Amino acid sequence: MQSHWFKNAVIYCLEVDVFNDGNGDGIGDFIGLRQGLSYLAGLGVSCIWLLPFFRSPDRDDGYDVMDYLSVDPALGDLGDFAAFMDEAQDRGIRVIIDLVVNHTSNQHPWFQRARQRDPKYYDYYVWRSDAPGNTSNQVAFPGKQKSVWQYDRLAKAYYFHRFYSYQPDLNTANPAVREEIKKIMGFWAAMGVSGFRVDAAPFVIAAKGGDADKHPHEWYEFLHEFREFIRWKTGDAILLAEANVPPEQLTDFFGPDGNRMNMLLNFYVNPHLFLAIAQESAEPIVRSLRALPQIPAACHWAYFLRNHDELDLSRLAEAEREECFRAFAPKKEMQLYGRGIRRRLAPMFNGDLAKALLAYSLIFTIPGTPIFWYGEEIGMGEDLSLEERNSVRTPMQWSSERNGGFSKAPKERLRRPVISKGKFSYRNVNVQRLRREPGSLLNRLERMIRTRKEFPEFGTGAYRILETDRTKTVFAHACEDDAGRAVLAAHNLSNEAESVTIRLWQSEFDHFVYLFEERESERVSDGKIELKLPPRGFSWLRLVAA
Ligand code: GLC
Ligand code: CA
């Protein structure tokens, strides 16, 4: 049987440079990350997703790769990586890594040769000789990028770049490029990784430079080709794709038989969760879940609240987007690219613990795999003085010691400044401190992770949205596995306490058990259960048959 480990994983995403500095030079590294593993194991993380750590000029935080088969020397070497992998494995933690193959850095040797019109490498990229028209509607970063074509003096031609001009797009239609991609996957698979987060998947398979966003049908097969390759290399390695496309296109990324991507980051429900919290209403959650396509049994969603990029609100209607801006990012400097929010979760919620727990509870119980952005579990803040998306990428806050315990280097040498002012300063917000407080976000999330793992029905069960007498404010759903084990979660989006009656879908259930609250189990009467939910409160229940 095929392993579905990813359906009940708890993923923790981090950037090595800012997680833990093991050698005191101011930059996080693999030695430091290895030391940090005990913390992640204690938290209950079962899979780490590493942002790009390859050799790179680092103009887009490592998403501009110069050498895919290397470790950035500032972070260590392959030996340090192997030692980290070894220890992660010892602790039962899997590792997945970013696969950034829509483009390379313009410093990549492939591109350097292509510019010289080297017959082998020229076709690794996408060129045109005549001047392009206005392409500002195709850029990935509106306001920061003007065109998707850049003239190159050496090649005497324009090259296509979906992202910044120093990130020339690879020509995926060229079989030699796909062989290179497989070689990269094969290399890291041999190093022990359990899969890849496929960066910018829709662009990898888009008709590059041609008709804007068209995906030629056969290009989807490239995704299948990559999946087959990795399956053949390591039976249970996965591909988790970044595919921020409208709901009706998502199915194509999973593939008709689930034979393309194993998981997709759910960029559609994500902004609707924030809208629901802003509106104190369950409606956007239900609406967005209903808009999702049915997905193949072998596949799964991945849910997140914030990530390393801006919170993209472009899938909301304009008035809804404005509402989210008003609620979570009222100042212009908190917004980005006209569509997103460059803040971390805790400050967006003004440090409100109930709101944060409500949001996590949602991504832990809606069928899918939850992903944490490092530092979220302690409620870290952002630094708006840093450029664009770097605001949410400041060093991990371990303790109230100098540099938040991140590094022993002098402050000026840190990769990025540690947050040291205000409510979210490392003096207030750090692992050591939150660990001591029983009711802290960290301890509550640790318990949530443990409970989520105890009840895999949340990940693998068949899922249904339930009827309640509080449609506007309460979102209730249940998950039931093939063996009839059933769990239920109810979320109160409103700012007031609610008493709610939830109708179950069958009459076999006799009583229910609270998974968090210190309360005795209660009877199911007449196929219904009654719950009292505090303001922005939630309950997880196990339903027990007679
Ligand atoms: C993805 C990454 C983002 C990066 C971009 C270009 O969207 O999440 O951080 O800038 O790809 O590689
Ligand atoms: Ca270091």
Side-chain angles (χ1 to χ4, degrees):
M1 207 188 102
Q2 231 195 319
S3 156
H4 285 164
W5 63 268
F6 55 93
K7 291 191 175 180
N8 278 303
V10 175
I11 301 180
Y12 190 95
C13 174
L14 67 88
E15 188 180 339
V16 180
D17 327 27
V18 286
F19 195 64
N20 195 23
D21 177 12
N23 66 358
D25 66 355
I27 304 174
D29 47 45
F30 278 103
I31 296 176
L33 175 55
R34 182 148 61 92
Q35 291 157 357
L37 276 171
S38 35
Y39 165 69
L40 297 178
L43 183 59
V45 167
S46 59
C47 178
I48 297 173
W49 154 20
L50 297 179
L51 257 51
F53 53 81
F54 320 101
R55 198 187 281 266
S56 156
D58 230 354
R59 296 177 65 186
D60 183 18
D61 207 17
Y63 280 94
D64 44 337
V65 181
M66 244 174 100
D67 179 359
Y68 291 96
L69 309 181
S70 69
V71 169
D72 181 339
L75 313 184
D77 56 27
L78 279 173
D80 298 321
F81 180 83
F84 153 72
M85 288 299 293
D86 236 20
E87 187 148 340
Q89 197 171 29
D90 274 355
R91 293 178 178 275
I93 299 181
R94 291 175 181 265
V95 176
I96 62 176
I97 66 173
D98 246 275
L99 182 69
V100 191
V101 292
N102 174 66
H103 47 266
T104 66
S105 156
N106 59 359
Q107 302 302 308
H108 196 293
W110 298 339
F111 188 69
Q112 290 305 321
R113 292 205 204 152
R115 297 179 64 201
Q116 295 160 19
R117 295 204 171 236
D118 176 310
K120 175 167 179 207
Y121 291 102
Y122 191 72
D123 281 340
Y124 270 39
Y125 296 88
V126 182
W127 302 93
R128 69 186 283 165
S129 44
D130 54 328
N134 185 336
T135 55
S136 58
N137 61 339
Q138 290 180 47
V139 304
F141 303 122
K144 304 278 169 188
Q145 185 193 349
K146 285 199 187 73
S147 161
V148 293
W149 292 100
Q150 175 72 37
Y151 186 70
D152 185 83
R153 269 193 217 116
L154 212 54
K156 298 198 173 53
Y158 296 84
Y159 63 86
F160 181 75
H161 60 90
R162 173 67 72 163
F163 295 93
Y164 296 106
S165 59
Y166 53 79
Q167 290 165 318
D169 271 47
L170 281 167
N171 175 17
T172 336
N174 178 351
V177 167
R178 299 206 298 281
E179 286 312 307
E180 297 280 8
I181 295 174
K182 286 185 258 181
K183 184 166 147 186
I184 298 164
M185 292 201 293
F187 176 79
W188 292 106
M191 294 294 290
V193 308
S194 291
F196 301 89
R197 179 261 192 188
V198 184
D199 184 56
F203 298 143
V204 173
I205 59 163
K208 302 196 183 206
D211 226 0
D213 291 321
K214 284 225 183 83
H215 300 152
H217 202 68
E218 47 313 343
W219 287 39
Y220 279 110
E221 285 312 303
F222 300 164
L223 298 178
H224 179 60
E225 187 181 328
F226 299 149
R227 170 76 179 284
E228 278 299 287
F229 176 82
I230 195 66
R231 205 204 328 244
W232 166 69
K233 279 277 168 193
T234 29
D236 64 356
I238 57 152
L239 298 178
L240 157 66
E242 178 196 30
N244 190 350
V245 296
E248 60 279 9
Q249 286 178 29
L250 289 164
T251 317
D252 289 332
F253 286 85
F254 287 120
D257 314 307
N259 58 15
R260 291 175 190 159
M261 301 290 106
N262 305 78
M263 285 209 278
L264 297 185
L265 290 158
N266 198 321
F267 282 96
Y268 188 71
V269 171
N270 176 270
H272 288 89
L273 292 177
F274 285 94
L275 182 64
I277 291 172
Q279 294 185 334
E280 300 186 18
S281 161
E283 186 273 333
I285 303 177
V286 174
R287 170 165 42 112
S288 61
L289 287 172
R290 293 220 161 109
L292 294 179
Q294 193 71 30
I295 69 177
C299 299
H300 215 40
W301 297 111
Y303 284 101
F304 57 97
L305 292 170
R306 288 291 295 108
N307 59 17
H308 64 292
D309 289 326
E310 81 283 9
L311 165 57
D312 185 351
L313 301 171
S314 54
R315 306 255 162 245
L316 299 179
E318 192 178 333
E320 297 172 337
R321 186 162 48 246
E322 287 309 318
E323 220 173 326
C324 286
F325 279 142
R326 268 200 304 282
F328 306 122
K331 294 190 188 142
K332 264 274 170 297
E333 53 166 356
M334 300 168 170
Q335 306 172 4
L336 193 60
Y337 312 133
R339 61 165 183 240
I341 297 179
R342 56 184 207 109
R343 306 190 73 190
R344 274 194 178 255
L345 192 78
M348 283 173 60
F349 290 167
N350 270 319
D352 184 325
L353 186 64
K355 257 193 211 176
L357 288 167
L358 175 73
Y360 286 110
S361 174
L362 285 164
I363 65 160
F364 267 71
T365 56
I366 296 175
T369 298
I371 304 183
F372 281 99
W373 174 227
Y374 80 94
E376 258 178 13
E377 73 281 14
I378 53 171
M380 265 171 61
E382 73 265 345
D383 182 345
L384 294 172
S385 73
L386 301 178
E387 263 182 28
E388 294 185 47
R389 293 159 288 153
N390 284 347
S391 50
V392 300
R393 301 169 179 173
T394 61
M396 178 68 179
Q397 296 171 193
W398 295 98
S399 70
S400 55
E401 282 164 40
R402 197 159 61 91
N403 298 329
F406 160 70
S407 171
K408 294 202 160 38
K411 203 166 132 189
E412 332 60 80
R413 291 187 42 207
L414 299 188
R415 175 79 166 84
R416 293 195 188 101
V418 178
I419 293 180
S420 55
K421 279 190 224 107
K423 192 156 135 185
F424 298 97
S425 145
Y426 68 87
R427 293 177 197 88
N428 303 322
V429 175
N430 63 66
V431 172
Q432 213 168 68
R433 176 164 178 191
L434 270 81
R435 201 185 257 143
R436 284 198 304 265
E437 298 167 5
S440 69
L441 181 64
L442 178 65
N443 285 318
R444 302 278 300 267
L445 288 175
E446 185 193 316
R447 168 127 188 245
M448 203 183 274
I449 294 174
R450 193 187 83 206
T451 312
R452 173 66 174 71
K453 286 178 163 171
E454 262 180 85
F455 297 91
E457 298 89 298
F458 279 121
T460 43
Y463 133 89
R464 38 169 77 76
I465 297 173
L466 302 176
E467 264 176 54
T468 77
D469 62 345
R470 291 281 180 278
T471 330
K472 174 85 184 32
T473 50
V474 176
F475 169 64
H477 72 285
C479 304
E480 186 183 27
D481 70 8
D482 292 340
R485 278 181 294 251
V487 286
L488 183 155
H491 294 88
N492 174 13
L493 276 296
S494 93
N495 211 3
E496 275 154 46
E498 285 278 35
S499 296
V500 59
T501 305
I502 303 171
R503 181 181 295 281
L504 304 180
W505 62 101
Q506 49 119 311
S507 51
E508 299 286 286
F509 296 116
D510 174 72
H511 63 280
F512 60 91
V513 181
Y514 288 96
L515 303 187
F516 289 119
E517 294 95 326
E518 284 159 21
R519 295 177 68 156
E520 292 299 323
S521 48
E522 284 176 41
R523 299 248 145 247
V524 173
S525 68
D526 197 20
K528 285 185 248 168
I529 63 171
E530 285 178 24
L531 292 179
K532 285 197 171 55
L533 296 169
R536 304 200 195 279
F538 56 88
S539 265
W540 295 12
L541 314 172
R542 184 162 61 89
L543 300 170
V544 186

